[in-house]
Amino acid sequence: MNTRNELPPPSLMPAPPPRIGYIRPMALVLFLGALVLLAFRLSDLLLMLFGAVIVAVALRALAQPLGQYLRLPPRLAVGVAVTLAVVGIVLGSWLVGDRLVEQFDDLARKLPAAIAKLVSWARERTIGEALWKVWRGTNADDVPWASVAVAATQALSAVGGIGLVLVVGVYLASDPLMYREGVVRLVPPAYRGRVDDALLASGHALSRWLLGQGISMLFVGTSTAIGLALLGLPLALTLGLVAGALAFIPFFGPIASGVLAVLLAFMQGPELALYVAILCVVIQQIEGNLLMPVVQRWAVELPPVLGITAAVIFGLLFGLPGVILASPLMVVAMVLVRMLYVEGVLES
């Protein structure tokens, strides 16, 4: 008789305990979700840090040729770049600052009259009268003092935020390697090399994009000021400065500057307003179809659809700061997605 303990057949053996391999992916998903939620709650701070990164990249782009030409160490080259930027701003303010302040004051005074004249001209047309009735029906006559107070508070907060962005940007530009290494050490060691390469590529792409965008803004501002002056429109210098600054925002910025110029031209008459509108369209067509293709041969190319989509998405998520920083955010996102996801996950 066989006294050995024989094993039961496989069909009668107890089922093994369920594997717990799914816990790790679930924990990773929960961690990423919590990280996204935290980033959304701290969106204002993250946007300010990204603005500081843009300032740092611009300073490094100016400091690098200065360091090579003057044979200066990186930190001293950044100090020289900051000094030159401050001297340039002070010199520009001394040369044209008074005139710009006067023109901006004149713009603030003339804008309500221009709006009133445009409304009066539009109400002489049937469709304009219908739109005016709709507008009057959706707006109260009382001044929204609560909204005015909120706007004033936001303006003061924006001024303080800009100052903080500039200060942090100078510190980032003085020693970018230390901060980049700190970010890289937050990821697992196996991925640190690829993340470091992606951050370097993002900074390089952002630097090239800023240079190309600066050329575009200079062209739009200068050509707008010269064209409006030739047409005889007052405040040409101020309107050119506004057009150049708003060219930083894709699609919506040129529309806003063009509407402002046409609105002020209505004070001189509808014919001048038509000429100003044609001028703005021609400048944007030259900038978009002739200048930018040449610039984008050695700068970063941001497709127009992505630029407009980025402005809408980041505007819905973060408000006006998201619209302003939409293009550089999309440039960095394109590089990170390409290097970390497409090349690092899909193609590896």
Side-chain angles (χ1 to χ4, degrees):
M1 180 177 181
N2 190 3
T3 59
R4 291 182 305 172
N5 295 328
E6 296 183 357
L7 295 176
S11 59
L12 300 179
M13 293 181 63
R19 293 190 175 185
I20 57 174
Y22 63 88
I23 295 181
R24 185 176 179 182
M26 184 179 297
L28 181 60
V29 170
L30 293 177
F31 174 75
L32 292 177
L35 194 62
V36 171
L37 179 60
L38 180 63
F40 184 75
R41 295 296 298 269
L42 299 177
S43 59
D44 294 338
L45 177 61
L46 294 178
L47 285 177
M48 290 177 60
L49 290 177
F50 185 76
V53 169
I54 293 177
V55 174
V57 169
L59 289 176
R60 294 290 298 183
L62 179 60
Q64 185 174 3
L66 287 174
Q68 293 177 353
Y69 180 75
L70 301 176
R71 297 181 178 179
L72 299 174
R75 289 191 179 184
L76 185 57
V78 171
V80 174
V82 172
T83 303
L84 290 178
V86 172
V87 169
I89 293 174
V90 172
L91 185 61
S93 301
W94 179 67
L95 292 176
V96 297
D98 293 339
R99 185 178 178 185
L100 280 177
V101 170
E102 292 177 359
Q103 289 199 1
F104 272 111
D105 291 340
D106 198 12
L107 177 63
R109 290 193 300 268
K110 288 184 176 180
L111 191 57
I115 295 176
K117 188 162 186 177
L118 176 62
V119 170
S120 176
W121 177 84
R123 293 185 64 183
E124 295 176 359
R125 278 73 183 168
T126 304
I127 185 172
E129 180 64 23
L131 293 175
W132 173 253
K133 291 180 180 179
V134 173
W135 172 262
R136 293 292 294 178
T138 57
N139 290 274
D141 295 332
D142 297 333
V143 178
W145 294 110
S147 300
V148 173
V150 171
T153 303
Q154 291 178 348
L156 293 176
S157 177
V159 172
I162 291 174
L164 182 61
V165 165
L166 294 177
V167 172
V168 175
V170 172
Y171 280 107
L172 289 176
S174 62
D175 195 359
L177 180 60
M178 179 180 66
Y179 299 102
R180 193 180 76 245
E181 288 180 348
V183 174
V184 170
R185 294 186 66 180
L186 295 177
V187 301
Y191 303 100
R192 288 178 182 176
R194 180 171 292 276
V195 171
D196 188 52
D197 293 339
L199 292 178
L200 283 173
S202 299
H204 186 56
L206 187 59
S207 176
R208 290 186 297 156
W209 179 85
L210 284 174
L211 184 58
Q213 193 67 23
I215 295 174
S216 173
M217 293 169 64
L218 181 62
F219 168 77
V220 171
T222 303
S223 57
T224 300
I226 294 175
L228 294 180
L230 293 177
L231 290 176
L233 185 66
L235 310 177
L237 180 61
T238 301
L239 293 174
L241 182 62
V242 171
L246 290 179
F248 188 83
I249 306 173
F251 185 73
F252 301 103
I255 291 178
S257 61
V259 169
L260 179 61
V262 171
L263 187 61
L264 291 177
F266 255 99
M267 296 188 65
Q268 311 294 327
E271 184 177 355
L272 180 59
L274 177 61
Y275 292 152
V276 170
I278 294 175
L279 172 68
C280 293
V281 172
V282 170
I283 290 174
Q284 293 304 319
Q285 291 300 314
I286 295 175
E287 185 266 344
N289 298 315
L290 296 180
L291 177 63
M292 291 309 295
V294 176
V295 172
Q296 288 173 349
R297 290 178 183 176
W298 46 267
V300 175
E301 181 180 2
L302 182 64
V305 174
L306 286 183
I308 298 173
T309 304
V312 174
I313 293 176
F314 291 120
L316 292 175
L317 291 176
F318 310 120
L320 182 59
V323 176
I324 296 174
L325 299 177
S327 292
L329 280 170
M330 182 57 71
V331 169
V332 173
M334 286 172 54
V335 176
L336 293 179
V337 169
R338 174 174 58 83
M339 295 191 65
L340 297 181
Y341 179 66
V342 177
E343 298 178 359
V345 177
L346 298 182
E347 298 179 354
S348 62

